[in-house]
Amino acid sequence: MPSTNPHADHLLETGREPISHPEQFTALDGLTPALLADAKGRALARLQKGLAIFGDRFPAPSSENGEYPAIDNIEWTNGFWTGQLWLAYEMSGNAVFREAAEKQVQSFAERIDQRIVVDHHDLGFLYSLSCVAAWKITGNTLARSAALKAAECLYERYLPSAEIVQAWGNLNDPEEAGRMIIDCNLNLPLLYWASEETGNQRFRNAANKHIEKAMRYLIRPDASTFHTFFMDVKTGAARKGTTHQGFSDSSCWARGQAWGISGFPLVYRYYRNPQLIAQSARLTNYFLNRLPTDLVCYWDLVFTEGDEPRDSSAAAIAVCGMLELLRHLPLLDPDRQTWQAAAGAIMSQLIKHYAANSEDSGSGLLKHGVYHKPKNIGVDEYCIWGDYFYLEALLRFEQVWESYW
Ligand code: GLY
């Protein structure tokens, strides 16, 4: 039975469950400058290898037997590759990364002009990390114009009656009508950015409405999250929460929780609603209380021990999310130190036990990710967004990062 959210018609919760074992985040060896420097060197070398492999093409969403197939610019994930090249350029100053990323801007401009596989909400993943990044770093005007067109295309998916951006499918498809998903938190910054660039408030107004609905309906009373939630597109009423990539409708898909932890504070950069920080904090504690002993989450938080696959990509997203949350959090927040320790401890585990070395085949950065467990796609493989967020986390530990989002 799909789950409903009995909490949803009431005021939002602000209480957080206490962190059960804060000591687990200081028990393991933490993050040191030497560890970070070694991880950065390894990652940059892998990316150089990836550039040689992919040339003008892109890595697929997830690897097969440890190697990414090469694809054209047709997936929801292509921006994660270009985004890694921009991060690598910022980390190293090496023009090779910048030149490769700038070439890809042309491909993203053509993709939005010709509307190639853009009938979904992942325009933020695609265009924030490729074209908004290019505009912010180099002032590339083609990139700015492509990103604004992408924002326009994303805005077309906003349903005023339901006050959400529909995730997938043709807007007339009855199966997908009124479905929002937690991942969309990371697509909304493109709309906010477009409002800031153009002065046109309709993008911002749509994003504000969506994120309010996401807080109200995608977050359950216990601070776990639904992956997806359906609204009635005629009446705007809440319908039901379901999963797409998680274990069950009532479980908590680890990457969905991580999209929530990170997306709410990223939206807070543009929309100063304190609920966004309060809710990210609640989601963080739920996540931290359901980690196995090596602190790298299973693919669904219903699992806390045993042989199920880990999702290292969710761990990397959650680390970036905690670092973003810490930027906006009141200095005296009682959980601040634990979150700082947790972000460092999880990152240290990723670097030591999940990051690829020169002897690993292929060019991925972060092993042991999961794309879609129920469909058995990309299980225990590299995932291109896992690589991206691992690299973003490395940069965030090194400097106050101004963000492409
Ligand atoms: N946004 C799709 C995923 O996280 O797999």
Side-chain angles (χ1 to χ4, degrees), residues 22-169:
E23 70 288 352
Q24 68 180 321
F25 305 116
T26 46
L28 300 161
D29 289 339
L31 203 53
T32 60
L35 194 62
L36 280 171
D38 172 60
K40 180 173 150 180
R42 278 194 273 156
L44 292 174
R46 299 283 292 176
L47 288 168
Q48 294 257 27
K49 188 178 175 193
L51 273 182
I53 294 172
F54 295 106
D56 290 342
R57 301 187 80 209
F58 295 80
S62 54
S63 63
E64 292 172 14
N65 301 316
E67 299 194 11
Y68 285 113
I71 59 165
D72 292 329
N73 195 348
I74 50 159
E75 271 284 0
W76 67 275
T77 50
N78 292 65
F80 292 115
W81 175 234
T82 315
Q84 284 180 75
L85 300 178
W86 285 124
L87 290 172
Y89 171 62
E90 288 205 79
M91 287 166 114
S92 66
N94 186 339
V96 164
F97 294 121
R98 172 182 168 156
E99 282 157 21
E102 275 180 325
K103 253 173 118 178
Q104 288 168 21
V105 164
Q106 181 67 42
S107 163
F108 281 95
E110 283 166 19
R111 180 166 178 180
I112 195 65
D113 278 342
Q114 294 167 28
R115 297 241 169 171
I116 299 168
V117 202
V118 290
D119 53 347
H120 54 73
H121 71 155
D122 286 322
L123 280 307
F125 286 125
L126 285 168
Y127 283 85
S128 294
L129 301 182
S130 59
C131 292
V132 175
W135 166 243
K136 287 184 176 175
I137 296 169
T138 71
N140 181 324
T141 51
L142 176 67
R144 177 181 181 274
S145 134
L148 287 175
K149 287 177 192 169
E152 199 63 65
C153 187
L154 180 56
Y155 180 78
E156 287 169 16
R157 303 189 67 79
Y158 178 67
L159 309 175
S161 54
E163 299 184 322
I164 57 121
V165 175
Q166 183 173 313
W168 301 316

Side-chain angles (χ1 to χ4, degrees), residues 76 125 183 245 253 255 259 371 385:
W76 67 275
F125 286 125
D183 323 29
Q245 279 153 273
W253 179 48
R255 194 158 66 253
W259 291 136
Y371 184 2
W385 54 88

Side-chain angles (χ1 to χ4, degrees), residues 131-370:
C131 292
V132 175
W135 166 243
K136 287 184 176 175
I137 296 169
T138 71
N140 181 324
T141 51
L142 176 67
R144 177 181 181 274
S145 134
L148 287 175
K149 287 177 192 169
E152 199 63 65
C153 187
L154 180 56
Y155 180 78
E156 287 169 16
R157 303 189 67 79
Y158 178 67
L159 309 175
S161 54
E163 299 184 322
I164 57 121
V165 175
Q166 183 173 313
W168 301 316
N170 183 297
L171 294 180
N172 301 318
D173 176 354
E175 291 269 304
E176 291 298 336
R179 191 200 304 243
M180 66 172 154
I181 77 173
I182 187 82
D183 323 29
C184 191
N185 283 13
L186 281 281
N187 290 320
L188 299 180
L190 181 68
L191 292 176
Y192 288 109
W193 171 82
S195 269
E196 289 196 344
E197 284 295 312
T198 62
N200 189 330
Q201 295 307 308
R202 73 192 152 90
F203 302 109
R204 165 185 295 281
N205 293 340
N208 285 354
K209 293 285 186 204
H210 178 107
I211 202 72
E212 282 166 11
K213 289 282 188 238
M215 283 195 286
R216 186 166 290 274
Y217 295 110
L218 286 167
I219 301 175
R220 304 187 184 109
D222 66 356
S224 65
T225 45
F226 285 116
H227 182 190
T228 92
F229 198 95
F230 286 88
M231 309 297 292
D232 186 308
V233 289
K234 289 208 179 76
T235 65
R239 287 183 53 212
K240 60 181 178 182
T242 63
T243 198
H244 180 67
Q245 279 153 273
F247 176 74
S248 73
D249 288 338
S250 57
S251 73
C252 181
W253 179 48
R255 194 158 66 253
Q257 192 78 0
W259 291 136
I261 291 168
S262 60
F264 290 119
L266 281 174
V267 167
Y268 184 76
R269 284 191 182 222
Y270 298 96
Y271 176 32
R272 294 279 164 173
N273 179 344
Q275 273 290 342
L276 294 165
I277 298 306
Q279 297 303 330
S280 172
R282 298 180 67 234
L283 268 58
T284 299
N285 283 9
Y286 185 94
F287 179 85
L288 294 178
N289 283 340
R290 285 154 186 86
L291 298 182
T293 47
D294 86 342
L295 307 182
V296 176
C297 55
Y298 287 95
W299 67 280
D300 191 297
L301 299 180
V302 75
F303 305 111
T304 53
E305 57 184 8
D307 292 333
E308 289 290 325
R310 306 303 177 95
D311 182 7
S312 59
S313 78
I317 296 163
V319 168
C320 289
M322 282 186 266
L323 296 179
E324 186 66 27
L325 177 60
L326 285 163
R327 279 176 76 124
H328 307 296
L329 196 72
L331 280 178
L332 293 178
D333 189 284
D335 285 330
R336 170 176 277 279
Q337 282 187 341
T338 305
W339 290 333
Q340 251 155 358
I346 296 170
M347 191 64 187
S348 156
Q349 291 295 98
L350 291 178
I351 292 172
K352 287 194 236 168
H353 305 299
Y354 290 75
N357 288 305
S358 53
E359 61 266 25
D360 288 305
S361 65
S363 61
L365 304 188
L366 193 63
K367 296 188 264 192
H368 309 307
V370 171

